[in-house]
Amino acid sequence: MAAWGQLAAIAALVVFLHVPLGNYLARVYTADGHWRVERMIFRLVGVEADGQQRWGGYLTAVLAFSAVSVVFLYALLLLQVHLPEPWGH
């Protein structure tokens, strides 16, 4: 019985928040300017904020991210034996 109440509460929350949340997301994703924090991060990383990324740069970024992810997951797999009982052994 409590599950139906939770389902009704979530449905009511979605009904009441979908328009304001949708308007907020539309405003954020269609904004022309950048926030001060974003500009600072772009400057630190050396990225041109409104520049286009060519396919070669995108390919390099995807392959580098994939390689780092594989190394991280492999290290996690090797270190599992040193984790406490519920997750290790």
Side-chain angles (χ1 to χ4, degrees):
M1 196 58 139
W4 288 106
Q6 289 177 349
L7 185 62
I10 290 173
L13 190 67
V14 168
V15 166
F16 288 120
L17 290 181
H18 80 280
V19 172
L21 186 59
N23 291 340
Y24 168 74
L25 288 174
R27 197 170 3 122
V28 166
Y29 287 120
T30 59
D32 290 333
H34 299 288
W35 293 353
R36 179 177 295 160
V37 175
E38 288 178 321
R39 289 192 304 263
M40 184 174 63
I41 292 172
F42 291 154
R43 198 174 315 124
L44 285 174
V45 177
V47 174
E48 186 180 336
D50 295 319
Q52 295 292 321
Q53 186 176 28
R54 296 179 48 96
W55 71 269
Y58 180 76
L59 178 66
T60 303
V62 167
L63 291 176
F65 180 78
S66 297
V68 169
S69 298
V70 166
V71 168
F72 172 76
L73 290 174
Y74 185 66
L76 185 64
L77 181 67
L78 290 178
L79 293 173
Q80 272 187 332
V81 295
H82 302 293
L83 292 175
E85 186 58 37
W87 296 284
H89 311 288

